[in-house]
Amino acid sequence: DGGITQSPKYLFRKEGQNVTLSCEQNLNHDAMYWYRQDPGQGLRLIYYSQIVNDFQKGDIAEGYSVSREKKESFPLTVTSAQKNPTAFYLCAVGSGTIYEQYFGPGTRLTVT
Amino acid sequence: AQTVTQSQPEMSVQEAETVTLSCTYDTSESDYYLFWYKQPPSRQMILVIRQEAYKQQNATENRFSVNFQKAAKSFSLKISDSQLGDAAMYFCAYRSARGFGNEKLTFGTGTRLTIIP
């Protein structure tokens, strides 16, 4: 079974706790991305990584952190510094040789 | 910075009819890519169609086609023979063609399409 997996589908956390969202791909794409989706808004880029051990901030990186130790994996940590963490988070993959990005199924994070 | 605008928050169409979703964008670049993504209730983002700015010919994928007007910075999506499965949020997205480090997708705010049986 191939593609992009994100786990879990739904995640609940208490305010003040860090939480890590998983994104795994077996499509052998170099680039991976994290987007956030809020109601009434389009997707906004949090972080992206074009190669292993390298990543760049997107438009709304504050309160988030990432790592890219393996090509297949790009986990996102939502820290307690993120003021409004409740949102739908989407992971995507791409490469320099294709123009579009392909998305995982997403994780709905609720922080109370 | 590039911006993408979708001015129709909601649209509806009768099943089997044709509907057009609007998208405009702002950029100072001459080479870029444009996309339409579909997000059904499952919330999975699905690529519908893409257009390269250097191509004058409008892209077509089965019942989906675009009207790309580069000078007007307009990129509308036409859905022909609408089906119940087309009901979804549709997002227009822009990507620079400048290469490495410029692969970010900039999204519009979406249009919710309802299909009336």
Side-chain angles (χ1 to χ4, degrees):
Chain A
D1 194 22
I4 309 162
T5 57
Q6 290 187 244
S7 60
K9 189 172 178 66
Y10 299 97
L11 193 52
F12 299 87
R13 279 295 183 271
K14 293 288 187 187
E15 197 173 316
Q17 293 179 336
N18 292 354
V19 59
T20 298
L21 282 59
S22 167
C23 179
E24 304 276 333
Q25 57 114 351
N26 62 3
L27 301 172
N28 201 35
H29 284 315
D30 293 314
M32 297 185 74
Y33 308 81
W34 276 105
Y35 291 89
R36 170 182 171 136
Q37 185 177 24
D38 295 285
Q41 298 192 40
L43 280 65
R44 293 180 291 165
L45 183 66
I46 305 171
Y47 266 99
Y48 64 103
S49 168
Q50 289 156 322
I51 54 174
V52 174
N53 293 323
D54 188 41
F55 48 83
Q56 286 80 38
K57 292 181 179 180
D59 298 322
I60 55 165
E62 185 176 349
Y64 299 97
S65 66
V66 294
S67 63
R68 186 88 186 274
E69 297 177 2
K70 299 186 300 182
K71 186 175 184 178
E72 302 78 16
S73 178
F74 189 42
L76 173 75
T77 296
V78 184
T79 75
S80 56
Q82 168 48 233
K83 293 190 172 81
N84 296 297
T86 294
F88 187 62
Y89 291 87
L90 285 152
C91 176
V93 302
S95 76
T97 56
I98 63 171
Y99 313 122
E100 58 267 24
Q101 294 176 13
Y102 295 99
F103 287 82
T107 292
R108 171 69 183 175
L109 173 64
T110 302
V111 176
T112 56
Chain B
Q2 295 81 20
T3 59
V4 177
T5 302
Q6 293 179 251
S7 58
Q8 305 156 314
E10 297 183 358
M11 294 276 288
S12 61
V13 62
Q14 207 79 29
E15 193 176 1
E17 297 295 309
T18 296
V19 64
T20 299
L21 309 183
S22 300
C23 173
T24 59
Y25 57 94
D26 187 27
T27 183
S28 58
E29 299 178 333
S30 60
D31 200 12
Y32 47 87
Y33 309 103
L34 296 165
F35 308 92
W36 279 98
Y37 281 87
K38 168 185 176 180
Q39 188 178 43
S42 68
R43 304 199 75 174
Q44 173 83 52
M45 291 287 282
I46 302 165
L47 178 67
V48 175
I49 200 165
R50 79 173 192 209
Q51 174 79 44
E52 292 89 340
Y54 64 85
K55 289 186 177 178
Q56 291 187 336
Q57 187 172 6
N58 289 322
T60 299
E61 287 288 340
N62 300 315
R63 297 182 295 107
F64 299 87
S65 62
V66 298
N67 183 5
F68 173 50
Q69 302 288 329
K70 191 172 184 179
K73 295 181 182 172
S74 171
F75 182 60
S76 60
L77 175 70
K78 186 172 84 170
I79 305 174
S80 303
D81 185 26
S82 297
Q83 300 175 0
L84 295 177
D86 295 333
M89 281 289 287
Y90 286 81
F91 291 94
C92 179
Y94 170 103
R95 184 206 143 169
S96 169
R98 282 189 291 150
F100 197 79
N102 293 285
E103 299 161 4
K104 180 185 82 167
L105 291 178
T106 300
F107 286 86
T109 52
T111 296
R112 182 174 301 281
L113 179 64
T114 301
I115 311 296
I116 303 166

